[in-house]
Amino acid sequence: HSLRKSCDKLIQNQSKLVYNFNIPSDFDETEYAAAIVGSDQVWHKWTPLDNELYYYYLQFMPAYKRISYAASFGFDSFPNSDREIHAKYLKEMRAISCREKTGCQLVKDLVNIDAELVLDPTLCVGRDYWSSIEERPFFTLPKRYVVVMLLGKKDEHYATIQQFAMKNKLKIIDIMDEKNYDIWKLTIGSFIWLIHNAEFVFTDSFHCTVFSILYERTFTVFQRRGDGFEKMFDRISTLLELCGLSQCVYHEDGISNVPLDFSGVNDSLSLMVTKSLTWLHKTLCDS
């Protein structure tokens, strides 16, 4: 409920909402100059529905109107069952951009098309925008805390984090704590506030990593554990490499409590934002 309210507040002037990959019968493609798909793992087939890839490759629009921005596959090789479908639909896209190097290489290897490497849109709007929607969570917070957001299996990662927090006298705020109903009532703004004000952030989430970078938090990224998730790390490693923060990936030698040096990170991001938005602007103007 809180997430839906946040989305309704942030996303204004919606003309149509579509669920379950079903295009409304009264849909008129002539009302739109272009369609853009992205930026999450839109080309990773998650459901048994036959029309999922049809929908996310924008097949309901003419080919010259189909654009991807920062699209992601979430795997490093095409499943044999869907390979021909991906090839057909990729060839029909008017312009393709991906948010990780693996995605660009997949496109090149399969259909010999050069996909543009661009930033996720959460980074393109910048810190000032996200700060404008921040709001302090309604529940009582410790003075000093670490944020933990692990979407995969926690296993030994969580024990390592607990040891770190205890050693540094920090409380843990676990974003994925299913037993904490206060956490599940977080809005997008309060989620961002928690990261902005954390002493440290521990995560295997792409977007939690994004906000840690935007707010210059010292953070550690774990490779996600769990069936089907092991090959999703390239979108994070690509981002860290672009920012010169590859040292933030967890290694078995432990977690450092030395604050990160963010000098140069903003310059690197600024260059990539300009490159990404220039590509998007040119692509849309050519539509």
Side-chain angles (χ1 to χ4, degrees):
H1 178 68
S2 59
L3 182 59
R4 174 58 58 84
K5 287 180 66 177
S6 296
C7 290
D8 290 343
K9 182 179 178 180
L10 291 172
I11 305 174
Q12 307 270 327
N13 303 318
Q14 300 171 107
S15 57
K16 288 184 175 69
L17 290 175
V18 179
Y19 301 97
N20 298 326
F21 319 126
N22 295 319
I23 306 302
S25 57
D26 62 347
F27 176 78
D28 182 2
E29 58 88 4
T30 62
E31 296 181 11
Y32 306 93
I36 303 175
V37 62
S39 66
D40 216 335
Q41 296 166 70
V42 288
W43 291 337
H44 185 132
K45 195 172 187 297
W46 293 102
T47 76
L49 298 175
D50 292 335
N51 58 341
E52 181 180 352
L53 288 178
Y54 175 94
Y55 180 85
Y56 281 125
Y57 275 108
L58 309 175
Q59 290 288 302
F60 52 89
M61 294 287 279
Y64 71 93
K65 293 185 178 183
R66 300 175 199 160
I67 299 167
S68 78
Y69 182 81
S72 176
F73 293 95
F75 50 69
D76 56 13
S77 62
F78 289 99
N80 290 331
S81 57
D82 301 320
R83 186 181 179 85
E84 292 184 7
I85 295 175
H86 282 288
K88 179 180 185 299
Y89 290 170
L90 281 169
K91 288 177 182 177
E92 295 174 356
M93 296 292 292
R94 195 178 73 74
I96 301 171
S97 65
C98 298
R99 68 178 180 186
E100 71 260 7
K101 291 180 178 179
T102 299
C104 293
Q105 193 62 50
L106 282 169
V107 175
K108 181 67 174 179
D109 291 343
L110 185 65
V111 294
N112 197 30
I113 293 174
D114 292 318
E116 188 80 4
L117 180 65
V118 296
L119 283 182
D120 188 83
T122 49
L123 287 158
C124 290
V125 296
R127 180 166 60 187
D128 289 346
Y129 170 78
W130 295 114
S131 294
S132 71
I133 67 169
E134 274 189 79
E135 53 186 359
R136 185 185 179 94
F138 61 89
F139 52 87
T140 303
L141 292 166
K143 289 184 178 179
R144 299 178 68 241
Y145 64 87
V146 299
V147 162
V148 178
M149 186 175 184
L150 297 176
L151 301 178
K153 294 179 180 178
K154 294 181 179 180
D155 50 55
E156 71 272 15
H157 291 337
Y158 207 77
T160 302
I161 294 167
Q162 287 177 315
Q163 291 173 6
F164 177 89
M166 186 178 299
K167 179 180 178 181
N168 292 279
K169 298 180 180 179
L170 299 165
K171 298 294 185 181
I172 292 177
I173 296 180
D174 184 353
I175 299 294
M176 302 305 294
D177 184 357
E178 297 179 359
K179 298 178 181 179
N180 187 339
Y181 292 104
D182 287 340
I183 291 294
W184 284 101
K185 294 176 184 176
L186 286 175
T187 63
I188 294 172
S190 52
F191 165 74
I192 295 169
W193 191 98
L194 283 175
I195 295 175
H196 188 177
N197 292 277
E199 296 281 339
F200 293 85
V201 178
F202 301 98
T203 190
D204 60 6
S205 157
F206 176 81
H207 286 106
C208 192
T209 302
V210 164
F211 289 115
S212 299
I213 293 171
L214 285 175
Y215 287 108
E216 300 185 2
R217 299 295 86 192
T218 298
F219 67 97
T220 295
V221 179
F222 297 93
Q223 295 204 37
R224 192 177 302 180
R225 305 290 180 86
D227 295 339
F229 296 117
E230 297 87 350
K231 298 178 180 179
M232 295 182 181
F233 194 67
D234 192 63
R235 56 195 175 136
I236 296 178
S237 61
T238 295
L239 173 60
L240 296 178
E241 184 180 334
L242 288 171
C243 295
L245 294 171
S246 297
Q247 72 273 24
C248 294
V249 178
Y250 175 72
H251 298 289
E252 299 299 330
D253 53 353
I255 299 170
S256 171
N257 62 357
V258 177
L260 286 173
D261 180 6
F262 281 90
S263 61
V265 172
N266 288 333
D267 289 341
S268 298
L269 281 179
S270 180
L271 289 172
M272 276 301 297
V273 168
T274 300
K275 176 177 178 288
S276 301
L277 294 182
T278 298
W279 180 89
L280 182 60
H281 178 74
K282 182 178 184 304
T283 302
L284 288 173
C285 287
D286 290 345
S287 297

